[in-house]
Amino acid sequence: MRLILLLLLLLLFTCKNSESNKIPNENSTDISAISTKDFREFQVLDSRYIKKKELWQAFENDLKNFSDEIYDSLKPLILDKDILQLQENVAKGKLSYELITKFYLYRIRKFDRENTLSLNAVIALNPNVIEEAIQADNTDFEAMPHPIFGMPILLKDNINAKGMPTTAGAVALQNNNAEDSFIVKRLEENGAIVLGKTNLSEWAYFFCGDCPSGYSAIGGQTLNPYGRRIFDTGGSSSGSGVAVAANFAVAAVGSETSGSILSPSSQNSVVGLKPTIGLLSRSGIVPISSTLDTAGPMTKNVSDNAILLDAMFGYDVNDTKSMETGNASGYYSELINDNLQGTRLGVFKALLKDSLYAQAISDLKSNGAVIVEIEEEEIELPNFLRLLNLDMKVDLPMYLSKYAGKEVTVKTVQDVIHFNQKDSVNIMPYGQKLFKGIVADNATDDEFLEIKNTLKNNGKRFFDNPMTAHKLDGFLSINNYHAGFAAVAEYPAITVPMGYTSLGEPEGLTFISKPLSERELLGWAYVYEHASKRREMPKNYN
């Protein structure tokens, strides 16, 4: 079913975009340009810009005595453990934050680049990370710190973090040495340690259009640990999903415009939350759309997801969509008390042929959920790509002027296009069709407002009509199948490992509900996760 849908979308995209500069048809509902693709013919695999020796130079002395024996002795204490288990092991003296950090660095060096199991998930490392871990070990607490304290976290490389360039995977931003983004400041205030940056689909997958997800010029081609060079990684937070699945960090941060957290999370069998837009700040994050963009946590389990969400939460006066919603600590502290008794969840009849989905519904029923079968609303998303075009034309120059480092010379989308043409073979081997579409697209303020209002209203009707008619609390989907509707409606969604197809490809069960329902979503996901226990570590990386 999934393959048929993707092929239909790909066919639509090909037919509607035969000219590289063509503006999407005003009635187009196509979003396949930024969707997961079953793509096997990689033009580029390894990065032409990352030098492995340079990447590890800062850690040469610190890791000199970190042997295979030490690594193997730590595996039972760290591998696939959740945050609270790691903190318990630190409290008991079995672990230190320094050892945890070195363990993850060792795994990245062992598995990530230039070997037969390489995944190309990590794009940069924080040269000060071991020193910061030692500082965490030497910190005395008057009160229990946030659970995220001392935990090594990876960031998608469109999120500004001081000490590492923020490239969005693009050569034009190779020297973008910027100050910390708002969410990184929040992470550091709560004691998290930024381990490094993850690869992504270049420019958050709104660049080439005909390229595989998980590819960027800077980072190379990220590969799926459940089927290396076989299964798609999902986009655009590909590196974050792969890094979490392969245990390269405690957790990672991704970003989503439409499916960019849900897709790689489901494809790599991890938990990914796309929160309500405005719950997390976007300041200092390379944008596609100020209308739809949001950051979000990607983790091995639901409790870690709630902890990471809480650690990034906070009102940002510089973000026009930022919300003041009070204390968010209940995201993780209340999980253990959640249940599904009487929760009414809508399931899409068209998806019931998927055996994993059917089993998930059975699991939920067994835990008290009321399942209501519904037909999809026949509603379209006209001008979806135009919304992204028109937003990015304004939002990217705003980021470059306000949040980029001084060394960055490009100021507009057109500047990036010209920059890429200087060395097209290395910088844009799959072309830059979507960037050309951005430059070609124009609209008056009134036209743009109408596009946004129509999309939001249509997205809300897609969910609100059945929600009202059947008194639903939320919806159940697969992977990122309904990510476009959730995006324009500004509805949050969380995906949880649902199992594996007969070929071994991961699938995720995706919960969707109304704005600011993150507590409910996390609670439902937590109950399902513990009832089903579907996630397995990728075999070659355990």
Side-chain angles (χ1 to χ4, degrees):
M1 177 68 183
R2 174 178 171 275
L3 180 59
I4 293 170
L5 287 171
L6 290 172
L7 288 173
L8 286 173
L9 286 172
L10 186 59
L11 178 61
L12 282 169
F13 181 75
T14 303
C15 293
K16 292 177 181 177
N17 292 273
S18 58
E19 298 175 20
S20 61
N21 286 340
K22 188 175 179 180
I23 300 171
N25 182 288
E26 65 178 15
N27 294 316
S28 172
T29 64
D30 176 57
I31 60 172
S32 65
I34 55 171
S35 298
T36 300
K37 297 178 179 66
D38 282 341
F39 196 109
R40 300 289 171 262
E41 297 300 323
F42 301 126
Q43 292 186 32
V44 179
L45 195 61
D46 295 319
S47 170
R48 294 166 176 164
Y49 295 90
I50 296 175
K51 306 300 180 186
K52 190 173 180 181
K53 185 176 180 180
E54 293 176 9
L55 185 67
W56 291 101
Q57 190 171 3
F59 308 104
E60 190 173 336
N61 291 328
D62 288 315
L63 293 179
K64 185 182 296 183
N65 297 319
F66 195 89
S67 63
D68 285 343
E69 289 75 20
I70 294 173
Y71 168 74
D72 288 337
S73 71
L74 293 175
K75 283 171 71 174
L77 299 172
I78 300 176
L79 200 63
D80 240 29
K81 300 300 182 186
D82 64 37
I83 288 172
L84 296 182
Q85 289 173 318
L86 292 172
Q87 294 289 16
E88 183 181 357
N89 284 333
V90 171
K92 290 179 177 179
K94 296 179 179 179
L95 285 175
S96 67
Y97 300 123
E98 179 185 0
L99 281 174
I100 294 171
T101 301
K102 287 182 176 178
F103 176 87
Y104 287 124
L105 287 170
Y106 188 91
R107 277 186 69 81
I108 293 168
R109 188 173 64 178
K110 182 181 180 71
F111 288 120
D112 200 45
R113 290 192 180 269
E114 297 179 15
N115 63 73
T116 56
L117 292 174
S118 61
L119 298 171
N120 298 336
V122 176
I123 206 169
L125 293 167
N126 174 6
N128 303 313
V129 67
I130 294 177
E131 180 183 335
E132 291 170 14
I134 292 171
Q135 289 175 359
D137 283 320
N138 293 330
T139 301
D140 293 323
F141 306 115
E142 292 183 6
M144 178 64 184
H146 194 285
I148 206 72
F149 185 90
M151 296 291 103
I153 306 297
L154 287 166
L155 308 171
K156 182 177 180 178
D157 195 28
N158 60 348
I159 301 170
N160 286 1
K162 192 174 181 180
M164 292 171 285
T166 300
T167 71
V171 179
L173 296 187
Q174 190 172 19
N175 298 312
N176 181 21
N177 297 298
E179 297 298 311
D180 285 339
S181 60
F182 184 94
I183 60 171
V184 168
K185 289 177 183 176
R186 289 289 297 133
L187 285 169
E188 291 174 342
E189 286 167 6
N190 284 308
I193 297 172
V194 175
L195 179 61
K197 299 286 199 77
T198 58
N199 197 18
L200 68 163
S201 306
E202 190 165 338
W203 293 107
Y205 217 7
F206 200 64
F207 173 57
C208 42
D210 295 329
C211 52
S213 51
Y215 169 78
S216 76
I218 293 290
Q221 180 65 55
T222 299
L223 301 169
N224 191 319
Y226 289 91
R228 189 179 176 276
R229 301 188 72 171
I230 299 172
F231 301 139
D232 194 275
T233 58
S236 65
S237 304
S238 317
S240 295
V242 170
V244 171
N247 277 273
F248 289 165
V250 170
V253 183
S255 70
E256 174 153 333
T257 306
S258 175
S260 290
I261 289 172
L262 299 178
S263 168
S265 295
S266 56
Q267 285 292 126
N268 294 284
S269 203
V270 301
V271 178
L273 172 68
K274 187 215 80 164
T276 304
I277 297 167
L279 189 65
L280 299 182
S281 164
R282 290 90 55 83
S283 296
I285 301 177
V286 181
I288 292 178
S289 167
S290 56
T291 306
L292 304 182
D293 288 351
T294 180
M298 300 172 70
T299 58
K300 291 183 285 292
N301 56 74
V302 176
S303 62
D304 286 359
N305 206 275
I307 289 169
L308 183 53
L309 176 67
D310 180 72
M312 295 187 287
F313 169 85
Y315 176 71
D316 176 12
V317 67
N318 293 314
D319 185 340
T320 56
K321 286 205 169 186
S322 189
M323 300 177 180
E324 292 188 84
T325 58
N327 185 357
S329 63
Y331 287 141
Y332 64 88
S333 63
E334 298 172 6
L335 278 179
I336 197 168
N337 298 317
D338 280 305
N339 65 75
L340 287 168
Q341 294 300 321
T343 302
R344 295 178 61 84
L345 299 173
V347 305
F348 297 101
K349 290 181 181 179
L351 301 182
L352 288 170
K353 294 178 182 178
D354 187 303
S355 60
L356 296 177
Y357 185 66
Q359 180 59 55
I361 290 166
S362 177
D363 292 338
L364 292 166
K365 277 184 180 179
S366 298
N367 282 271
V370 177
I371 300 300
V372 182
E373 294 185 13
I374 61 172
E375 299 283 359
E376 286 193 15
E377 295 286 303
E378 294 186 5
I379 294 173
E380 295 188 336
L381 300 179
N383 295 307
F384 187 96
L385 290 185
R386 292 202 68 201
L387 167 62
L388 305 189
N389 284 344
L390 297 167
D391 258 345
M392 195 170 187
K393 182 178 282 191
V394 174
D395 294 337
L396 181 56
M398 187 176 295
Y399 166 88
L400 294 171
S401 65
K402 190 173 183 179
Y403 295 109
K406 294 179 181 178
E407 300 91 342
V408 176
T409 58
V410 293
K411 301 299 180 186
T412 66
V413 175
Q414 184 65 67
D415 288 349
V416 176
I417 290 173
H418 287 322
F419 178 94
N420 292 342
Q421 289 169 340
K422 295 177 183 177
D423 184 8
S424 59
V425 172
N426 288 312
I427 296 177
M428 54 167 198
Y430 298 100
Q432 49 186 343
K433 180 187 293 185
L434 294 180
F435 261 36
K436 290 179 178 179
I438 294 169
V439 172
D441 203 345
N442 292 286
T444 66
D445 290 345
D446 288 342
E447 288 170 337
F448 189 24
L449 182 60
E450 183 178 353
I451 288 171
K452 289 195 284 188
N453 288 341
T454 298
L455 284 168
K456 184 164 187 177
N457 289 336
N458 286 10
K460 285 176 65 65
R461 285 195 298 119
F462 182 86
F463 296 113
D464 291 353
N465 288 354
M467 187 172 274
T468 300
H470 301 285
K471 298 180 180 179
L472 301 177
D473 297 298
F475 300 85
L476 298 174
S477 183
I478 297 174
N479 298 356
N480 61 324
Y481 283 7
H482 297 95
F485 289 102
V488 295
E490 301 186 25
Y491 272 33
I494 187 169
T495 190
V496 186
M498 186 170 67
Y500 306 85
T501 68
S502 59
L503 297 176
E505 185 171 13
E507 283 193 0
L509 178 66
T510 301
F511 298 81
I512 304 170
S513 192
K514 60 188 176 182
L516 296 177
S517 62
E518 280 77 12
R519 281 189 178 87
E520 289 80 2
L521 288 170
L522 286 160
W524 302 339
Y526 181 84
V527 173
Y528 171 70
E529 174 188 64
H530 283 257
S532 62
K533 297 180 180 178
R534 294 286 186 266
R535 183 178 182 271
E536 299 174 3
M537 282 192 288
K539 291 178 181 178
N540 292 324
Y541 302 89
N542 57 26

